[in-house]
Amino acid sequence: MKEADNFFDKVYTTARLIPFGSVTSYGAIATYLGAAKSARMVGWAMNNSHQQTEEVPAHRVVNRKGLLTGKHHFAGTNLMQQLLENEGIVVIENQIQDFERVFWDPTEELT
DNA sequence: ATTTTGACGACGT
DNA sequence: GACGTCGCCAAAA
């Protein structure tokens, strides 16, 4: 059985691979999947991730600026930030502090 | 079926 | 370096 034959499913799978206390960007995932210019699709997949059976840590996925652009898609107003801070990530004004420090690039994990 | 929009990103000005 | 435009592809209007 394939859990990741479709681009969307791959996005979900990759998102679940993000370690605790780390974050990544939509473009990083897109590039990892071979669709570097389709970062938007990753974001769209995240939106759809809510309907996925398995839990998808979409809160660990932000744009390349480390900005919590999609926080409005989460339940509460600051739920996404709360989740990130819960993992030891400092977020101020929707901006992740020490972004490159907590950034997790799936491409580097390929090795 | 066509147009607009979008949880983005890279490039051009 | 801030701002503008284009590209990507899928879904909603």
Side-chain angles (χ1 to χ4, degrees), chain A residues 77-96:
Chain A
T77 314
N78 59 340
L79 176 60
M80 184 176 185
Q81 178 173 335
Q82 286 291 284
L83 289 169
L84 291 171
E85 290 183 329
N86 186 32
E87 301 192 0
I89 298 174
V90 181
V91 180
I92 301 176
E93 295 281 289
N94 302 334
Q95 172 64 59
I96 296 178

Side-chain angles (χ1 to χ4, degrees), chain A residues 12 15-16 49 52-59:
Chain A
Y12 306 135
R16 296 189 198 105
S49 69
Q52 291 305 310
T53 315
E54 298 187 41
E55 194 175 342
V56 179
H59 61 274

Side-chain angles (χ1 to χ4, degrees), chain A residues 4-62:
Chain A
D5 266 346
N6 300 319
F7 179 79
F8 277 51
D9 289 340
K10 287 182 179 179
V11 174
Y12 306 135
T13 303
T14 305
R16 296 189 198 105
L17 292 176
I18 302 174
F20 184 92
S22 298
V23 295
T24 190
S25 64
Y26 305 96
I29 296 174
T31 303
Y32 169 67
L33 298 177
K37 297 175 180 175
S38 301
R40 301 177 114 173
M41 302 297 85
V42 178
W44 192 257
M46 286 288 120
N47 186 8
N48 218 13
S49 69
H50 192 58
Q51 80 181 325
Q52 291 305 310
T53 315
E54 298 187 41
E55 194 175 342
V56 179
H59 61 274
R60 293 185 188 151
V61 184
V62 296

Side-chain angles (χ1 to χ4, degrees), chain A residues 56-74:
Chain A
V56 179
H59 61 274
R60 293 185 188 151
V61 184
V62 296
N63 65 0
R64 78 172 188 90
K65 303 171 199 164
L67 192 62
L68 279 56
T69 52
K71 66 171 280 179
H72 291 283
H73 292 262
F74 285 80

